[in-house]
Amino acid sequence: MSRTVDVADLVARARDGNARAIARLISLVEDASPYLRDVAKALAPLTGQAVVIGLTGSPGVGKSTSTSLLVSAYRRRGKRVGVLAVDPSSPFSGGALLGDRVRMQEHATDPDVFIRSMATRGHLGGLAWATPQALRVLDAAGFDVVLIETVGVGQSEVEVVSLADSTLVLLAPGMGDGIQAAKAGILEVADVFVVNKADRDGADQVVRDLKYMISLGRREKDGPAWRIPIVSTVASRGDGVDDVVEAVDHHQAWMADHGELERRRTARAAAEVEAIALSVLRNRMGDLRGGDALNQFAKRVMAGELDPYAAADALIAHL
Ligand SMILES: Nc1nc2c(ncn2[C@@H]2O[C@H](COP(=O)(O)OP(=O)(O)OP(=O)(O)O)[C@@H](O)[C@H]2O)c(=O)[nH]1
Ligand SMILES: [Mg+2]
C-alpha cells in the first residue's frame, strides 16, 4: 500500500466517470489513508452539486429494490446516479452485500451509475467518518443524484439523515412498523414516507397509522412545516416509483424556497467537522496514554497537587 498516489490525476479521471478512479478515491477516504487530507482538499471545490437522497427503514422493507428503481427513474431523466449502500452492522466493504448486488445488477454495465457498498462497523468514527467522505467523492465526480441506503437500526438512520438532503423512510405492512415507527422517532427524520409492499394486506392500515401520526403534528420550532407526503409503492413490480421521484422533487423545491437546503447542508458540514475534530482529539489522547504527560498529571492528582478537572484542562491545553 506504500505506492504513491497522484491525487490530482485520480480526481480528474473520477470526473471523467472512470469507475476505478472513483472506487480508488473512496477506498482512500474509507481507509483513512495518508492521502485522505490531500483527497479532501482536491474534492472540496468540486462538491455541493449532487442531490443527496437517503433511504432508510427496517431490514427487508424493500430499500435495495426501491433504490434500484430510483436509479432507473433518474437515469431515464438523464441523471448520473451514485449509490452508497451502507451497512452499519458489517465490517466488510466494497461490494460484499450480495443481495444488493443482485438487485442492482441491471445497472452494473451502465457507466453513468456507480454503486458502492460500505461497511462501517469497526471504522474509526463509523458512519460519521467514512460515509460523508465517500459522498464527497461521488459529488465531486459529478453525479447528479446520490442515493444512500442504510438499514434503520438505532443511531445509523439518524446519521444517514444528517447526510441526506431528502430522507425517504420506507415502511411495509406486517413488519411491526407503523406505530412502532413513531416510537423509534422515524417521524422526526422522514421527509417522505414510502409504504412499500402495497400489494400486501395491511398496507392501508400502515398508511392510516402514518396519516394519524402526521396529523398529531411534527414539532417545528420555526417556520412553516413541510407536509410529509405518503407514497405507496410495490417496488418488486416497479409501481409507484415515479410518485416517489415527484415527492422528492417537491421536497427539494420546498427546501429551496424555505432556505432549508442551506440549513441542512450547513448542519451536515458542521457534523462532519465535529466528527473529524473529535477523532483527531481522540487519537491525540490515545498518543498521550503511551506518553509521559498523562502520567505526570496523574501523579500530581494523586499527590493532591492538582484536582482532576484542572489536570484535564491542563492536559487539553497540552494537546
Ligand atoms: N411483496 C413484495 N415484496 C417486495 C416488494 N419490494 C421488495 N420486495 C421483496 O422484499 C425482499 C427484500 O427486499 P430488499 O429490497 O432487499 O429490501 P432491503 O430493505 O434492501 O433489505 P436489507 O438491505 O436486507 O435491509 C426481496 O425479496 C424483495 O423482492 C414489494 O413491493 N412487494
Ligand atoms: Mg438492502
Side-chain angles (χ1 to χ4, degrees), residues 59-65 103 149 196-197 199-200 234-236:
V61 73
K63 297 179 294 296
S64 298
T65 313
R103 273 181 268 294
E149 173 191 341
N196 189 39
K197 308 198 183 182
D199 54 326
R200 293 207 176 154
V234 182
S236 50

